[in-house]
Amino acid sequence: MKKILIVDDENKIRELIKLNLELAGYNCIEAVDGDEAIKKIEENPDLVLLDIMLPGKDGYEISKKFVEKNIPIIFLTAKDSTLDKVSGLKLGAEDYIVKPFETLELLARIEVVLRRYNKEDDIFKYNNVEINFKERTVTKDSEIVELAMQEFELLETLVRNKNLALSREKLLELAWGYEYLGDTRTIDIHIQRLRKKLDWDNVIQTVYKYGYRLEIK
Amino acid sequence: MKLSVKIFLSMSISAFISCILILGMILNKNYNTNIQNENKRIIESFSSIANNFEENFQKYKNVKPEDILHTYNSFYSNEEFRFIYIDENNNENIPKEKNNIPEEILTVKNDAFVSKIVQEEDNYYVYVSTSFNSDISKKIVGIKDITYIYENQSELKIYGIIIISAATIFITLLSFIISKKLTKQLEHIADGAKKISSGNYNVNFKEGHDEFGKVSEAFNKMVDDISSRTNELINLVESKQTFIDNLSHEMNTPLTTIQGYAEYIERANISPENQTKYLQYIQEESKRIKDIYKKLLLLSYKKKNDLEIINHDFNLIIEEVEQQVSQKLSEKNIKLIINNKLNNLECDKTLVQLAISNLILNAFNVSKPNSQIIVNCYEDTNKKIEVIDFGIGISQENIDKILEPFYRVDKARARENGGAGLGLSICKNIMEMHNGSIKIESEIGEGSKFILIFN
C-alpha cells in the first residue's frame, strides 16, 4: 500500500482527504504544519499533498526537503493565480491542485504522479482475482480471464476508484475518455459481462439511479 | 543649434569684435597724438634752425647758401633732418629733389610755417617750410624722416593682434566652460526627468540660489510628490491584492470542505452516524462562509450617512456588551472587570457595541482560563475605551499588521476559534466612521491593550 502524507492545517479538509484516500486503498499519515511535515519525512511517504498557506513555515519553504528526498509533491492550495502555480511547479512540485477540488480529480492526479515515479501498484489482488495493470491481464483462481479492451479499461477505472460510487457518465469519461460517443447503457452491458466473468456480482454494486461502486472490504 | 553652442558663439564673436574695435580706436588715437606731437616738435626745432640759418645767411654773404646748409645738414643728419634753400627765383640748391616738394609747401608766405606729410615708397617724411623774415621770396624747407612713427604703429598693430588673439582664445575658452556648465545643469535636469518617467525616483537635483537651483528645487519637490503618490498607489494595489488572496483563501477553505464532504456522502458507502457527522461539518462550514460574508459587509460599510450617530447613555451600552459576551467568557471562566467613568457617548450604538465586543472576544481568544479582562472607559483629552488582556501579547511586527483584513497572528489557533481575521479590521473601520482611531500597546507574554479613541 502506498503511503501518502497529507499536510494541511484545516482539520476537516485533512480528514476529508484521508477518508477518500483510504477508500481508494492508500495509507495516510498527517501533519498540521511545516515542522510536523518535516518530521514525517522519516516515515518515507511515497507522495506528499502539501498545503501552501500553513502556520509557521509555509508549503513553499518546506517543499525542498521533500524534493531532496525525491518524494513527489502535489501542492494543494486556495491560491489559484498563474504566478502561484508557476512558482510552485518551479520549486519541483509534480502538480498543483486548487481548492475546492473534486475527489476524483485528486485521486487521478495522485495516480498519475505515482505512475511517473513508478510507484504505482502493478498488481491488484482481491480474493481469488488478480489484476496485473502492467501486463493488462486478469486471472481468476490463477486462470486467465479473457477480457475485451473496453472491459479491462472499465475494470481498471473501478479498481482505481474503489469504494467510491461512480456515475455512468463518469465511468464513460474515466474509462474510455471524453471522445467516446457511447450510450451510458454500454456501461451497463460491460458491467454485466465483468460481473459474470469475474464472478463479482456482489463486488460491483449498483448504486440506485446513479452508477456503480467497486466494494472492497 | 544647441544652447551651449549658441552661448559660446555669441560670447566669443562679441568679445572678438569689441576687442578689435577697442584696439583700433586706441591705435588710431595713439597714432594721431604721436603725429601731432612730432609735427609740433619738428616745427619748433625747424623755426629755430630757420632763424639761425637766416642770421648766418645775412652774416656770411660771401659764403654760398649751399655750403651753409651743408653744415646744417651734416649736423642734423643723425636726426634724419635735411634742409633745402630756395631762392627768390624758386631755384633750389638741390634740383633733383624738386619734384618731391609739395606745391603748398612752396607757396608759404610771411614767416608762417607750413607742414605736410608725404609718403615716398616705404618712407614717410614731414615737409616743413618757412620764408625768411627779411625777404619772403627766399624760403627754407625742412624734410624730416618720420618712418619710425609708422614703424612703431605697425609694431603696435602686431602687438594688438597678438593680444586680441590671446584675449579671444581666453574668452572663447571661458565662454565654452561657462556655457558647458550652464547647459550641463540643464542636461542633468533632463536626464533626471527621463529617469523619473521611467519609474526611477532615486534622483536628486542640486539645489542653489540661481534659476537653475530653483528649477532643481521644484524638480526635487516634484520627484518627492510623485514617488510618494506612486508608492501610495502601489501599497493600495498590494493591499488590495493581499485582501483578495486572503479572501479567496478564507472562502475556498470552507467551500472545499463543503464540496468534498457532499461528494463523499454521495459516493461512499458510509454509516448513518458518519453521515450525520459530515453533514454537520457542511453546516458548520456554511455558517463560516455566512459569517465571513456578514463581516465583509460590515467592512465595506463606509458611508457616514448610513450611521445613526446620536447621544447614548454609555452605561447602557456597556451593560449590553457585558451581557452579550458573558456566555462566551464563562467558557474559560474569565472575569470581566468594567471601570466606567463615561456617562454618555455620541455614536452609532450597534457599531460601537460591536467594536467593544470584538475587542473583548479577541482578548478572550488570547487569554488563559481563569484570567481576567479589564475594560476602562474614561475621558481625558478624548473619550477612550480600553480593553486590557493578560494573554500572550503581540510582537511589534504583528501590531503593525494586525488591523489588516484577514491578518492573524497565530493562524491555526484563530481558525479553531472560528475567526477569519476580520474582527480588528472591522473595529478600525467602525472607529474611522466615528472620526476616531484605534491604538494598540502590547508586550510579549504580558498581554495587550487596545484603546478606542473618540474625537
Side-chain angles (χ1 to χ4, degrees):
Chain A
M1 260 206 289
K2 297 299 159 201
K3 200 188 276 176
I4 294 184
L5 172 60
I6 307 162
V7 188
D8 198 309
D9 59 325
E10 278 284 329
N11 295 336
K12 285 173 194 153
I13 292 182
R14 221 169 47 239
E15 188 182 341
L16 174 73
I17 297 172
K18 191 180 168 196
L19 285 168
N20 281 302
L21 292 188
E22 280 178 352
L23 274 188
Y26 295 105
N27 185 6
C28 294
I29 48 177
E30 300 169 59
V32 293
D33 57 33
D35 291 325
E36 200 182 340
I38 291 169
K39 273 181 212 149
K40 292 278 164 86
I41 292 179
E42 287 169 20
E43 296 182 29
N44 290 320
D46 293 294
L47 184 143
V48 57
L49 292 172
L50 189 53
D51 187 21
I52 290 173
M53 277 171 119
L54 288 172
K57 288 179 187 145
D58 71 14
Y60 291 142
E61 221 180 312
I62 61 168
S63 65
K64 40 182 180 297
K65 299 267 181 195
F66 293 96
V67 175
E68 277 168 21
K69 296 270 173 187
N70 204 26
I71 299 168
I73 301 166
I74 296 178
F75 276 125
L76 269 183
T77 175
K79 288 181 168 184
D80 65 346
S81 76
T82 312
L83 190 72
D84 287 323
K85 284 181 197 171
V86 169
S87 52
L89 294 175
K90 270 190 181 166
L91 283 171
E94 289 298 327
D95 210 339
Y96 195 102
I97 298 178
V98 178
K99 292 177 187 172
F101 50 83
E102 256 191 275
T103 311
L104 293 183
E105 191 192 348
L106 177 67
L107 290 175
R109 295 214 186 183
I110 290 173
E111 216 182 286
V112 168
V113 172
L114 286 176
R115 200 179 299 153
R116 202 180 296 153
Y117 273 69
N118 286 324
K119 285 183 172 182
E120 195 193 32
D121 286 322
D122 287 335
I123 291 166
F124 172 77
K125 238 170 149 178
Y126 184 64
N127 295 345
N128 55 346
V129 175
E130 192 179 310
I131 305 168
N132 188 323
F133 292 112
K134 211 172 182 178
E135 294 170 8
R136 298 178 79 82
T137 53
V138 181
T139 56
K140 194 179 109 189
D141 297 322
S142 305
E143 275 180 41
I144 298 254
V145 179
E146 293 293 339
L147 287 185
M149 194 175 75
Q150 284 191 333
E151 289 167 354
F152 186 85
E153 283 166 348
L154 186 61
L155 178 65
E156 183 172 6
T157 307
L158 286 169
V159 171
R160 297 282 186 216
N161 298 291
K162 53 187 166 292
N163 291 320
L164 289 175
L166 299 167
S167 66
R168 290 179 178 83
E169 289 78 12
K170 201 80 197 172
L171 279 169
L172 259 180
E173 182 195 318
L174 292 176
W176 305 326
Y178 293 97
E179 67 276 10
Y180 189 79
L181 296 167
D183 196 316
T184 49
R185 237 173 308 156
T186 323
I187 294 285
D188 297 334
I189 296 162
H190 283 88
I191 291 282
Q192 292 311 323
R193 290 187 189 148
L194 280 176
R195 277 177 175 160
K196 212 170 164 191
K197 286 183 179 174
L198 300 173
D199 201 7
W200 268 10
D201 283 346
N202 293 324
V203 179
I204 302 176
Q205 292 204 339
T206 306
V207 181
Y208 182 60
K209 279 191 174 173
Y210 188 76
Y212 298 94
R213 181 199 300 125
L214 188 71
E215 194 98 4
I216 305 290
K217 286 176 184 94
Chain B
M1 203 190 283
K2 277 176 89 178
L3 183 63
S4 61
V5 179
K6 280 184 195 165
I7 295 174
F8 162 67
L9 278 182
S10 55
M11 275 178 85
S12 349
I13 289 171
S14 57
F16 184 68
I17 290 171
S18 47
C19 276
I20 287 179
L21 284 177
I22 291 168
L23 192 82
M25 276 155 73
I26 290 174
L27 283 180
N28 200 34
K29 173 77 181 153
N30 183 48
Y31 167 72
N32 286 339
T33 317
N34 280 350
I35 292 287
Q36 270 171 23
N37 288 343
E38 192 62 14
N39 213 11
K40 219 170 130 195
R41 212 166 49 82
I42 289 168
I43 288 171
E44 267 168 22
S45 50
F46 179 70
S47 87
S48 62
I49 292 165
N51 280 336
N52 194 262
F53 177 70
E54 193 182 343
E55 272 171 34
N56 286 330
F57 188 78
Q58 312 268 345
K59 219 189 219 165
Y60 309 102
K61 296 255 185 207
N62 51 345
V63 183
K64 273 189 183 169
E66 291 87 348
D67 294 334
I68 301 170
L69 265 182
H70 184 74
T71 330
Y72 282 92
N73 276 339
S74 56
F75 187 77
Y76 285 103
S77 67
N78 280 345
E79 296 182 30
E80 311 244 349
F81 214 170
R82 286 181 299 120
F83 306 96
I84 302 166
Y85 168 68
I86 299 167
D87 64 15
E88 57 271 34
N89 302 321
N90 257 359
N91 283 329
E92 287 174 42
N93 50 354
I94 306 165
K96 61 170 180 177
E97 288 182 48
K98 190 192 172 185
N99 290 337
N100 296 329
I101 301 172
E103 278 303 311
E104 61 259 50
I105 292 290
L106 297 175
T107 59
V108 70
K109 286 192 178 86
N110 299 330
D111 54 350
F113 294 94
V114 173
S115 72
K116 186 171 169 60
I117 299 167
V118 174
Q119 185 182 5
E120 285 168 16
E121 284 161 15
D122 284 342
N123 295 328
Y124 291 83
Y125 299 96
V126 172
Y127 280 80
V128 60
S129 69
T130 189
S131 55
F132 281 16
N133 288 327
S134 51
D135 181 357
I136 58 163
S137 59
K138 294 189 174 84
K139 292 164 192 134
I140 176 160
V141 175
I143 304 160
K144 165 104 166 115
D145 189 342
I146 54 160
T147 309
Y148 72 95
I149 293 182
Y150 288 89
E151 278 170 355
N152 271 353
Q153 183 72 9
S154 40
E155 226 171 84
L156 271 179
K157 265 185 197 159
I158 291 167
Y159 260 129
I161 287 164
I162 292 171
I163 290 169
I164 287 177
S165 311
T168 308
I169 289 168
F170 176 71
I171 290 169
T172 304
L173 274 175
L174 197 70
S175 66
F176 182 74
I177 292 167
I178 290 173
S179 65
K180 269 282 158 211
K181 209 185 159 197
L182 287 180
T183 52
K184 205 178 169 187
Q185 279 173 290
L186 277 179
E187 274 167 21
H188 186 59
I189 291 174
D191 286 348
K194 266 184 217 156
K195 270 193 202 164
I196 295 164
S197 71
S198 69
N200 175 6
Y201 301 117
N202 200 6
V203 179
N204 190 28
F205 299 104
K206 209 173 152 193
E207 294 182 11
H209 295 296
D210 61 358
E211 285 80 354
F212 285 114
K214 279 178 188 150
V215 170
S216 302
E217 207 179 308
F219 262 75
N220 279 340
K221 199 173 169 323
M222 185 186 80
V223 175
D224 284 350
D225 289 355
I226 291 179
S227 78
S228 72
R229 253 168 245 166
T230 311
N231 282 339
E232 252 171 52
L233 274 180
I234 290 170
N235 286 342
L236 192 70
V237 170
E238 274 174 4
S239 71
K240 281 231 159 106
Q241 187 56 49
T242 315
F243 181 84
I244 291 168
D245 283 351
N246 286 329
L247 179 63
S248 99
H249 184 258
E250 288 309 317
M251 298 298 267
N252 271 330
T253 307
L255 274 176
T256 308
T257 316
I258 292 170
Q259 189 185 326
Y261 281 102
E263 224 184 319
Y264 186 72
I265 293 168
E266 184 191 37
R267 294 190 197 282
N269 188 14
I270 49 174
S271 66
E273 305 92 71
N274 276 342
Q275 190 165 329
T276 314
K277 182 180 162 196
Y278 302 143
L279 284 173
Q280 262 170 9
Y281 281 180
I282 291 174
Q283 280 175 23
E284 282 167 22
E285 296 302 295
S286 310
K287 228 181 115 237
R288 194 162 133 192
I289 291 179
K290 195 172 115 196
D291 196 43
I292 293 171
Y293 172 71
K294 267 164 71 184
K295 284 180 176 168
L296 278 176
L297 277 186
L298 266 175
L299 206 57
S300 60
Y301 200 66
K302 276 263 157 78
K303 279 177 274 166
K304 286 217 175 69
N305 47 7
D306 292 342
L307 298 189
E308 211 185 313
I309 297 189
I310 45 170
N311 211 353
H312 286 283
D313 181 352
F314 191 74
N315 287 306
L316 212 64
I317 290 182
I318 200 79
E319 266 171 38
E320 285 181 20
V321 170
E322 195 177 359
Q323 283 167 16
Q324 284 169 21
V325 298
S326 60
Q327 172 80 38
K328 187 81 184 169
L329 294 185
S330 64
E331 282 176 22
K332 286 210 271 189
N333 194 24
I334 288 171
K335 202 173 157 196
L336 181 66
I337 302 165
I338 296 175
N339 303 312
N340 179 23
K341 287 175 189 154
L342 289 178
N343 292 318
N344 59 324
L345 183 67
E346 278 212 0
C347 64
D348 184 301
K349 188 178 159 190
T350 323
L351 290 183
V352 167
Q353 283 183 329
L354 180 65
I356 301 170
S357 60
N358 264 347
L359 289 185
I360 294 175
L361 290 179
N362 205 51
F364 168 84
N365 286 337
V366 297
S367 291
K368 294 174 205 83
N370 306 319
S371 63
Q372 56 186 31
I373 294 170
I374 302 172
V375 179
N376 292 325
C377 313
Y378 59 94
E379 181 171 6
D380 44 21
T381 48
N382 301 89
K383 290 187 175 173
K384 286 178 184 164
I385 303 167
E386 290 178 356
V387 178
I388 303 166
D389 67 66
F390 302 94
I392 46 177
I394 312 157
S395 70
Q396 188 57 49
E397 179 199 359
N398 283 323
I399 286 180
D400 297 338
K401 293 186 189 158
I402 203 164
L403 296 175
E404 288 170 17
F406 299 112
Y407 190 81
R408 280 181 293 220
V409 176
D410 186 336
K411 202 175 143 198
R413 187 199 304 266
R415 190 84 55 72
E416 273 166 33
N417 293 327
L422 288 172
L424 287 173
S425 300
I426 290 169
C427 287
K428 185 183 166 215
N429 198 26
I430 290 172
M431 290 316 289
E432 277 168 4
M433 283 192 279
H434 283 86
N435 287 326
S437 57
I438 181 164
K439 206 179 141 200
I440 305 157
E441 292 168 9
S442 187
E443 196 79 28
I444 289 278
E446 304 271 307
S448 315
K449 186 199 268 183
F450 287 79
I451 311 162
L452 303 178
I453 304 166
F454 290 86
N455 284 323

